[in-house]
Amino acid sequence: MTTAPGGDATAAPPAALAGLGLSFGYPDSAPVFAGLDVHIAPGEVVGVLGPNGGGKTTLLRLLSGSLTPGEGEIRLSGEPVRRGRRALAELRRSVQLVFQDPDDQLFSASVTQDVSFGPLNLGLDTDAARERVAWALEALEITDLAEQPTHLLSYGQRKRVVLAGALAMRPSVLVLDEPTAGLDPEGVESLVETLEGLRAAGTTLVVSTHDVDLAWRWADTVLLLDRGRLASGPAREILADPALLAAARLRPPWAPATDRALRAAGLLPPGAPGPATPEEVQRLLDEADGARG
């Protein structure tokens, strides 16, 4: 999944994304943000975490151009995004937002029609759009759904179709609002594997989630929000701080406590990386049982 049809890269060149001095409020409510600064390095996975109502979705919509800040600016690859229809259209080509509920974005009768909508609106000819659609469906492992009516798809299938539609635009940055919400464990792992392939190909991923364990094992950096920035930095540094997590009304991830218990039991040598998944913990326990046997 490193090249697209015709040998093009799967995405535009990796891009940095930033919001500087962002202030925003909805009518008849207190401001969500005032003077918020956010910096996202190219090619990284950024986890955005915080309580409900803390501003995660608002931030994602500001970064992707779906909302306009009252004050401050969005920068893409260091360049300010000017206000105006043409500038916002250019931003949305490079930064694609995928909503939590796929039904908020599905509107065509069939999967192919839905995924092809964006490329055709870019002005691509039919053959070029068809190649992008075929590539995106293959990348999301839903080629067999190409002619299916969208209203007959499962929730997880609809999530993948919406993501394929975003991917067909070849964005530099994918902004995902709770992408694993509503998926069963197998669906979560399958989707994360797909997204990891996109990251490996250079796509920057900005992912809001309540899943602290997922952020611990997958994100490079995290941003904790509660109507303002509580903290940002390396995922395993921020998420190992109980005070910060309590301020964000989040529970601690299980991995750090498990890591300490395994080391105390002598099951992990000094310097060895700790387990990030339950499967890795089970493997270590099985190996210990085998050694004792």
Side-chain angles (χ1 to χ4, degrees), residues 178-197:
E178 295 282 353
T180 61
L183 299 180
D184 59 29
E186 183 177 351
V188 170
E189 293 306 317
S190 179
L191 181 59
V192 169
E193 182 179 356
T194 298
L195 294 173
E196 184 61 26

Side-chain angles (χ1 to χ4, degrees), residues 73-87:
E73 65 181 13
I74 304 299
R75 292 192 177 188
L76 182 65
S77 296
E79 295 297 321
V81 176
R82 301 187 184 280
R83 301 190 183 189
R85 182 176 300 178
R86 180 174 296 180

Side-chain angles (χ1 to χ4, degrees), residues 229-251:
R229 186 177 62 189
L230 297 174
S232 61
R236 296 199 175 188
E237 177 181 314
I238 299 298
L239 297 179
D241 188 324
L244 286 177
L245 294 175
R249 288 178 275 170
L250 297 169
R251 66 169 181 79

